[in-house]
Amino acid sequence: MSRSSSQGIQTLLEAERDGALIVQQARDYRTQKLKQARTDAQKEVQSMKEAKEDDFKSAQNDSSDSQSKHKGQVEKDTENALRELNDNFDKKKEIVVNKLLDRVTQTKN
């Protein structure tokens, strides 16, 4: 009986080692899967971050272009207004000078 109990104990020890090996392999597999999931999540977050940064830069460029367009329009309107004022000045300066001279040279009785 000693031999069969020794053999049974040996079988149990082997089963325990096999079980421990299976558990260790499962832990290693789980750890590997968690690392892979973490890596995949980081890649996805980075991809989303880059996409949002691209969207932001695009919106910023659109805003800048719009501001440039408005700035150009304001400058053009200002130049037109100044040109119109200068034209009116050139047209009416002689009349104003003559009226001033008439008033200055008039004598009161």
Side-chain angles (χ1 to χ4, degrees), residues 70-101:
H70 291 300
K71 181 180 175 184
Q73 185 61 41
V74 167
E75 288 176 354
K76 183 178 176 184
D77 291 346
T78 303
E79 287 176 13
N80 287 339
L82 284 173
R83 190 177 307 113
E84 186 176 324
L85 284 172
N86 286 331
D87 289 347
N88 283 336
F89 174 78
D90 288 339
K91 288 178 187 175
K92 296 180 181 182
K93 72 179 175 182
E94 192 172 325
I95 295 170
V96 171
V97 168
N98 287 336
K99 282 185 180 182
L100 284 172
L101 286 175

Side-chain angles (χ1 to χ4, degrees), residues 23-71:
V23 168
Q24 186 59 42
Q25 287 174 344
R27 285 182 182 154
D28 291 344
Y29 179 76
R30 188 185 97 198
T31 302
Q32 178 187 6
K33 286 297 182 182
L34 286 173
K35 285 181 181 178
Q36 184 64 41
R38 186 176 297 124
T39 301
D40 290 347
Q42 287 174 341
K43 286 179 183 176
E44 188 172 341
V45 166
Q46 185 64 30
S47 173
M48 291 173 72
K49 182 180 176 182
E50 289 171 359
K52 290 297 180 182
E53 285 177 353
D54 288 344
D55 289 346
F56 175 74
K57 287 179 183 177
S58 175
Q60 197 174 26
N61 287 338
D62 290 347
S63 175
S64 178
D65 291 344
S66 178
Q67 287 177 351
S68 295
K69 186 191 309 181
H70 291 300
K71 181 180 175 184

